[in-house]
Amino acid sequence: MNPFSWSFRSQYLLGFAICAALLGYAFYVQFQLGIQPCPFCIFQRICFAALGIVFLAGGLHAPRAAGARKTWSLVALAA
């Protein structure tokens, strides 16, 4: 199972799932374990949320050639 051979939609939805899992773990550590995040951690969460939103939008929309390049540029900007 080579993820590079998957469809555009599958790759983007996987990216969204990874971002959601990372944010879920961060909120678990904060609220269940009681560890308060530093300013860098908060900024990192905002970046992962922005990246996840772009991944979700790209995965649901699944644009073709020119749109895919624009979506990749949004991913690069969010990252």
Side-chain angles (χ1 to χ4, degrees), residues 28-62:
Y28 167 76
V29 168
Q30 179 180 356
F31 294 118
Q32 293 298 318
L33 301 180
I35 299 174
Q36 294 300 315
C38 64
F40 178 72
C41 295
I42 294 170
F43 178 71
Q44 190 175 25
R45 289 180 190 186
I46 292 169
C47 291
F48 275 121
L51 191 60
I53 289 170
V54 172
F55 273 136
L56 182 62
L60 293 178
H61 184 262

Side-chain angles (χ1 to χ4, degrees):
M1 292 196 58
N2 183 5
F4 293 111
S5 66
W6 293 358
S7 69
F8 181 85
R9 178 171 284 174
S10 298
Q11 290 176 353
Y12 268 55
L13 291 178
L14 176 67
F16 169 73
I18 291 171
C19 287
L22 289 170
L23 286 172
Y25 179 72
F27 289 128
Y28 167 76
V29 168
Q30 179 180 356
F31 294 118
Q32 293 298 318
L33 301 180
I35 299 174
Q36 294 300 315
C38 64
F40 178 72
C41 295
I42 294 170
F43 178 71
Q44 190 175 25
R45 289 180 190 186
I46 292 169
C47 291
F48 275 121
L51 191 60
I53 289 170
V54 172
F55 273 136
L56 182 62
L60 293 178
H61 184 262
R64 297 290 177 224
R69 283 191 294 275
K70 291 178 185 175
T71 308
W72 275 112
S73 64
L74 285 175
V75 166
L77 181 66

